[in-house]
Structure formats: C-alpha cells, structure tokens
Amino acid sequence: DGGITQSPKYLFRKEGQNVTLSCEQNLNHDAMYWYRQDPGQGLRLIYYSQIVNDFQKGDIAEGYSVSREKKESFPLTVTSAQKNPTAFYLCASGHTNYGYTFGSGTRLTVV
Amino acid sequence: GEDVEQSLFLSVREGDSSVINCTYTDSSSTYLYWYKQEPGAGLQLLTYIFSNMDMKQDQRLTVLLNKKDKHLSLRIADTQTGDSAIYFCAESIGWGYNKLIFGAGTRLAVHP
C-alpha cells in the first residue's frame, strides 16, 4: 500500500537536545511538507520541499532544519534553538491540485 | 493577505445534518479543501472543490462555494457518531506545489 509514514509516534526531548523526526513516503510525490499543530490553532508550515536537494522555509522555520537527499524522505530536526517545541508534528506529501496525503503524526514533548 | 477562518465548535444530534462554515480572504484561491482529523491522528482528505465550481456532492458530503463572499461550507447529511472529529478548511493559492493555508479547525461533537 502506498502511504506516508512518520516515526516515532511519541518523542520526548530534554532541554538543549536536538531530535529528528522521520517522514518517508512511497507515493512517488515530488513535494513534501512539515506542519506543526498546536491546540486550538490551525496547521502552521515549517518547511517544504518541491524537489530533491531543495527546500524552502515556511512560516515558522526558526529552530528547525530539514534535508531532502532522497525523494522518499524528508526528515525534520528540532534543534535546541526552538524554545517551545512541544507540539504535534505532521508530515505531508503531494500536489495542491489534488490535496495532500498526511502521515499519522509525531507528538513531541519536552521533559 | 492569506487567512482562513472557521468557528471552533459545533454540536449536533445524531441523524441531523451538520454544516461547517469557513471563510477565506485570498480571491486567487484555486482549490479549497476539507480535511478530517480524528484524535491523535493525521489529517484525512475528505473532499475538495475547484474555485470555478459552486457545488460538489460526494455521498453524504456536500460542499458549497460562494466565491463572491469567499465562503465555503461542508454539509454532512445524517451525521453519525463516527463523524465526531475536527474538520479543517484549507485553500491553495496559485498553481503547482504551493502551500496550503489551513483554518484552525472546527470540532464537531455528535450526541445521541
């Protein structure tokens, strides 16, 4: 089955630590996206990539970094510079003409 | 600017129709979408409508688009308890791999 897989489902980060969230898709989509979801708010775009080896900042890129070395993979690193990282992170892929396919999300908590 | 607004909460009785409303500000929107999110899960695309259409029907779902007023609605007929979720409206601007702009989501609660 084609789909988009995020891992882990739950992640705990200590203060000052970098963590990496995984996102893999086998839908042969060129474009991939990372969104952050906070309670009572819509999804906010962190980074997106339209093609391998290229990515652009979204609305809230500070404190995050990404890479796109393979078409299938778009990992997100939450760095220690992100002061309020506790949130639900959603990865998506696809074309805006047809709607995105979303992964099941990673819930990140600072401990 | 780009902005999508939705009411935050809607409560309906099982078997009734639900209508979730959304307004957007960018007149150059090309596609508008409705997504469903169940607790702890990702977003599931329910339906979408192209900006030159007024209405789209898909089984129990009816989408109405009033482009003049920049108003989008989602009607769910015969609402069931399994429809309880958060519903997000989203718009795409322009063509190609542009980002989607999401509303804050409407939490639909279905009660007996």
Side-chain angles (χ1 to χ4, degrees), chain A residues 74-99:
Chain A
F74 190 40
L76 173 75
T77 297
V78 184
T79 74
S80 57
Q82 172 48 243
K83 296 308 177 190
N84 184 24
T86 295
F88 191 51
Y89 291 86
L90 287 160
C91 180
S93 69
H95 193 288
T96 49
N97 288 6
Y98 312 112

mmCIF file of all heavy atoms in Angstrom, chain A residues 74-99:
data_model
loop_
_atom_site.group_PDB
_atom_site.id
_atom_site.type_symbol
_atom_site.label_atom_id
_atom_site.label_comp_id
_atom_site.label_asym_id
_atom_site.label_seq_id
_atom_site.Cartn_x
_atom_site.Cartn_y
_atom_site.Cartn_z
ATOM 1 N N PHE A 74 12.071 12.995 4.067
ATOM 2 C CA PHE A 74 12.139 14.426 4.379
ATOM 3 C C PHE A 74 12.193 14.566 5.904
ATOM 4 O O PHE A 74 11.213 14.940 6.550
ATOM 5 C CB PHE A 74 10.914 15.133 3.797
ATOM 6 C CG PHE A 74 10.970 16.635 3.824
ATOM 7 C CD1 PHE A 74 12.136 17.330 3.548
ATOM 8 C CD2 PHE A 74 9.821 17.373 4.081
ATOM 9 C CE1 PHE A 74 12.174 18.719 3.548
ATOM 10 C CE2 PHE A 74 9.840 18.768 4.083
ATOM 11 C CZ PHE A 74 11.015 19.435 3.823
ATOM 12 N N PRO A 75 13.322 14.281 6.533
ATOM 13 C CA PRO A 75 13.406 14.348 7.992
ATOM 14 C C PRO A 75 13.458 15.787 8.504
ATOM 15 O O PRO A 75 14.029 16.673 7.858
ATOM 16 C CB PRO A 75 14.722 13.614 8.303
ATOM 17 C CG PRO A 75 15.527 13.742 7.053
ATOM 18 C CD PRO A 75 14.550 13.768 5.909
ATOM 19 N N LEU A 76 12.874 15.976 9.682
ATOM 20 C CA LEU A 76 12.831 17.279 10.349
ATOM 21 C C LEU A 76 13.624 17.200 11.644
ATOM 22 O O LEU A 76 13.371 16.316 12.464
ATOM 23 C CB LEU A 76 11.384 17.665 10.654
ATOM 24 C CG LEU A 76 11.170 18.922 11.505
ATOM 25 C CD1 LEU A 76 11.438 20.174 10.666
ATOM 26 C CD2 LEU A 76 9.747 18.965 12.070
ATOM 27 N N THR A 77 14.563 18.109 11.843
ATOM 28 C CA THR A 77 15.300 18.193 13.098
ATOM 29 C C THR A 77 14.813 19.390 13.892
ATOM 30 O O THR A 77 14.764 20.514 13.373
ATOM 31 C CB THR A 77 16.819 18.307 12.850
ATOM 32 O OG1 THR A 77 17.268 17.120 12.193
ATOM 33 C CG2 THR A 77 17.576 18.464 14.158
ATOM 34 N N VAL A 78 14.426 19.118 15.131
ATOM 35 C CA VAL A 78 14.030 20.173 16.054
ATOM 36 C C VAL A 78 15.257 20.485 16.889
ATOM 37 O O VAL A 78 15.730 19.635 17.652
ATOM 38 C CB VAL A 78 12.855 19.724 16.930
ATOM 39 C CG1 VAL A 78 12.385 20.858 17.825
ATOM 40 C CG2 VAL A 78 11.716 19.204 16.072
ATOM 41 N N THR A 79 15.810 21.667 16.725
ATOM 42 C CA THR A 79 17.068 21.995 17.391
ATOM 43 C C THR A 79 16.816 22.628 18.763
ATOM 44 O O THR A 79 15.677 23.001 19.092
ATOM 45 C CB THR A 79 17.907 22.953 16.533
ATOM 46 O OG1 THR A 79 17.325 24.253 16.597
ATOM 47 C CG2 THR A 79 17.973 22.485 15.084
ATOM 48 N N SER A 80 17.887 22.786 19.507
ATOM 49 C CA SER A 80 17.778 23.393 20.831
ATOM 50 C C SER A 80 17.387 24.869 20.727
ATOM 51 O O SER A 80 16.976 25.475 21.726
ATOM 52 C CB SER A 80 19.100 23.247 21.582
ATOM 53 O OG SER A 80 20.164 23.820 20.840
ATOM 54 N N ALA A 81 17.500 25.447 19.541
ATOM 55 C CA ALA A 81 17.111 26.849 19.356
ATOM 56 C C ALA A 81 15.596 27.039 19.331
ATOM 57 O O ALA A 81 15.105 28.162 19.468
ATOM 58 C CB ALA A 81 17.707 27.383 18.050
ATOM 59 N N GLN A 82 14.852 25.940 19.176
ATOM 60 C CA GLN A 82 13.386 26.017 19.184
ATOM 61 C C GLN A 82 12.957 26.028 20.646
ATOM 62 O O GLN A 82 13.041 25.009 21.336
ATOM 63 C CB GLN A 82 12.792 24.840 18.418
ATOM 64 C CG GLN A 82 11.272 24.685 18.504
ATOM 65 C CD GLN A 82 10.499 25.952 18.263
ATOM 66 O OE1 GLN A 82 9.799 26.446 19.149
ATOM 67 N NE2 GLN A 82 10.627 26.499 17.080
ATOM 68 N N LYS A 83 12.463 27.168 21.115
ATOM 69 C CA LYS A 83 12.220 27.347 22.550
ATOM 70 C C LYS A 83 10.933 26.716 23.037
ATOM 71 O O LYS A 83 10.763 26.479 24.240
ATOM 72 C CB LYS A 83 12.200 28.851 22.870
ATOM 73 C CG LYS A 83 13.537 29.540 22.612
ATOM 74 C CD LYS A 83 14.682 28.825 23.310
ATOM 75 C CE LYS A 83 16.015 29.468 22.979
ATOM 76 N NZ LYS A 83 17.148 28.639 23.469
ATOM 77 N N ASN A 84 10.018 26.449 22.162
ATOM 78 C CA ASN A 84 8.741 25.863 22.569
ATOM 79 C C ASN A 84 8.387 24.722 21.615
ATOM 80 O O ASN A 84 7.453 24.840 20.829
ATOM 81 C CB ASN A 84 7.653 26.947 22.562
ATOM 82 C CG ASN A 84 6.335 26.419 23.081
ATOM 83 O OD1 ASN A 84 6.280 25.443 23.825
ATOM 84 N ND2 ASN A 84 5.248 27.054 22.654
ATOM 85 N N PRO A 85 9.102 23.609 21.675
ATOM 86 C CA PRO A 85 8.923 22.565 20.676
ATOM 87 C C PRO A 85 7.771 21.604 20.938
ATOM 88 O O PRO A 85 7.438 20.816 20.051
ATOM 89 C CB PRO A 85 10.253 21.809 20.726
ATOM 90 C CG PRO A 85 10.698 21.974 22.140
ATOM 91 C CD PRO A 85 10.236 23.338 22.570
ATOM 92 N N THR A 86 7.182 21.645 22.109
ATOM 93 C CA THR A 86 6.101 20.704 22.414
ATOM 94 C C THR A 86 4.918 20.959 21.484
ATOM 95 O O THR A 86 4.332 22.042 21.500
ATOM 96 C CB THR A 86 5.663 20.835 23.881
ATOM 97 O OG1 THR A 86 6.746 20.442 24.716
ATOM 98 C CG2 THR A 86 4.457 19.967 24.171
ATOM 99 N N ALA A 87 4.588 19.977 20.662
ATOM 100 C CA ALA A 87 3.531 20.123 19.656
ATOM 101 C C ALA A 87 3.338 18.790 18.950
ATOM 102 O O ALA A 87 4.071 17.828 19.182
ATOM 103 C CB ALA A 87 3.899 21.202 18.631
ATOM 104 N N PHE A 88 2.358 18.768 18.086
ATOM 105 C CA PHE A 88 2.087 17.622 17.215
ATOM 106 C C PHE A 88 2.611 17.982 15.828
ATOM 107 O O PHE A 88 2.236 19.019 15.279
ATOM 108 C CB PHE A 88 0.574 17.365 17.200
ATOM 109 C CG PHE A 88 0.155 16.085 16.569
ATOM 110 C CD1 PHE A 88 0.733 14.874 16.928
ATOM 111 C CD2 PHE A 88 -0.861 16.062 15.625
ATOM 112 C CE1 PHE A 88 0.318 13.678 16.357
ATOM 113 C CE2 PHE A 88 -1.286 14.872 15.048
ATOM 114 C CZ PHE A 88 -0.697 13.688 15.413
ATOM 115 N N TYR A 89 3.497 17.145 15.284
ATOM 116 C CA TYR A 89 4.137 17.447 14.007
ATOM 117 C C TYR A 89 3.582 16.529 12.926
ATOM 118 O O TYR A 89 3.554 15.305 13.076
ATOM 119 C CB TYR A 89 5.652 17.287 14.122
ATOM 120 C CG TYR A 89 6.277 18.349 14.990
ATOM 121 C CD1 TYR A 89 6.353 18.193 16.367
ATOM 122 C CD2 TYR A 89 6.754 19.533 14.433
ATOM 123 C CE1 TYR A 89 6.899 19.178 17.169
ATOM 124 C CE2 TYR A 89 7.308 20.528 15.227
ATOM 125 C CZ TYR A 89 7.373 20.340 16.594
ATOM 126 O OH TYR A 89 7.913 21.330 17.382
ATOM 127 N N LEU A 90 3.186 17.137 11.828
ATOM 128 C CA LEU A 90 2.582 16.399 10.725
ATOM 129 C C LEU A 90 3.396 16.585 9.457
ATOM 130 O O LEU A 90 3.735 17.702 9.080
ATOM 131 C CB LEU A 90 1.155 16.876 10.489
ATOM 132 C CG LEU A 90 0.151 16.442 11.547
ATOM 133 C CD1 LEU A 90 -1.077 17.318 11.509
ATOM 134 C CD2 LEU A 90 -0.231 14.990 11.333
ATOM 135 N N CYS A 91 3.679 15.478 8.804
ATOM 136 C CA CYS A 91 4.357 15.473 7.521
ATOM 137 C C CYS A 91 3.320 15.193 6.445
ATOM 138 O O CYS A 91 2.369 14.422 6.672
ATOM 139 C CB CYS A 91 5.442 14.409 7.531
ATOM 140 S SG CYS A 91 6.388 14.262 6.009
ATOM 141 N N ALA A 92 3.486 15.787 5.291
ATOM 142 C CA ALA A 92 2.554 15.562 4.191
ATOM 143 C C ALA A 92 3.324 15.527 2.886
ATOM 144 O O ALA A 92 4.449 16.017 2.784
ATOM 145 C CB ALA A 92 1.491 16.660 4.153
ATOM 146 N N SER A 93 2.705 14.943 1.882
ATOM 147 C CA SER A 93 3.289 14.970 0.543
ATOM 148 C C SER A 93 2.163 15.139 -0.463
ATOM 149 O O SER A 93 0.998 14.853 -0.166
ATOM 150 C CB SER A 93 4.080 13.686 0.257
ATOM 151 O OG SER A 93 3.211 12.580 0.134
ATOM 152 N N GLY A 94 2.519 15.583 -1.661
ATOM 153 C CA GLY A 94 1.517 15.680 -2.705
ATOM 154 C C GLY A 94 1.501 17.010 -3.407
ATOM 155 O O GLY A 94 2.351 17.868 -3.202
ATOM 156 N N HIS A 95 0.484 17.167 -4.216
ATOM 157 C CA HIS A 95 0.328 18.318 -5.082
ATOM 158 C C HIS A 95 -0.915 19.073 -4.649
ATOM 159 O O HIS A 95 -1.932 18.452 -4.347
ATOM 160 C CB HIS A 95 0.189 17.823 -6.527
ATOM 161 C CG HIS A 95 0.325 18.882 -7.562
ATOM 162 N ND1 HIS A 95 -0.637 19.839 -7.778
ATOM 163 C CD2 HIS A 95 1.309 19.143 -8.455
ATOM 164 C CE1 HIS A 95 -0.245 20.630 -8.770
ATOM 165 N NE2 HIS A 95 0.923 20.230 -9.199
ATOM 166 N N THR A 96 -0.852 20.401 -4.636
ATOM 167 C CA THR A 96 -2.002 21.161 -4.143
ATOM 168 C C THR A 96 -3.232 20.973 -5.023
ATOM 169 O O THR A 96 -4.351 21.170 -4.567
ATOM 170 C CB THR A 96 -1.685 22.657 -4.053
ATOM 171 O OG1 THR A 96 -1.109 23.088 -5.278
ATOM 172 C CG2 THR A 96 -0.726 22.928 -2.919
ATOM 173 N N ASN A 97 -3.080 20.560 -6.270
ATOM 174 C CA ASN A 97 -4.260 20.353 -7.121
ATOM 175 C C ASN A 97 -5.094 19.159 -6.666
ATOM 176 O O ASN A 97 -6.273 19.068 -7.001
ATOM 177 C CB ASN A 97 -3.836 20.128 -8.575
ATOM 178 C CG ASN A 97 -3.324 21.400 -9.208
ATOM 179 O OD1 ASN A 97 -3.175 22.418 -8.547
ATOM 180 N ND2 ASN A 97 -3.043 21.339 -10.488
ATOM 181 N N TYR A 98 -4.501 18.258 -5.958
ATOM 182 C CA TYR A 98 -5.203 17.031 -5.578
ATOM 183 C C TYR A 98 -5.277 16.836 -4.074
ATOM 184 O O TYR A 98 -5.792 15.831 -3.600
ATOM 185 C CB TYR A 98 -4.530 15.819 -6.214
ATOM 186 C CG TYR A 98 -4.269 16.015 -7.696
ATOM 187 C CD1 TYR A 98 -2.972 16.135 -8.175
ATOM 188 C CD2 TYR A 98 -5.312 16.120 -8.596
ATOM 189 C CE1 TYR A 98 -2.737 16.351 -9.530
ATOM 190 C CE2 TYR A 98 -5.079 16.343 -9.938
ATOM 191 C CZ TYR A 98 -3.805 16.456 -10.401
ATOM 192 O OH TYR A 98 -3.566 16.663 -11.722
ATOM 193 N N GLY A 99 -4.768 17.762 -3.312
ATOM 194 C CA GLY A 99 -4.764 17.612 -1.862
ATOM 195 C C GLY A 99 -3.566 16.815 -1.393
ATOM 196 O O GLY A 99 -3.003 16.024 -2.143
#
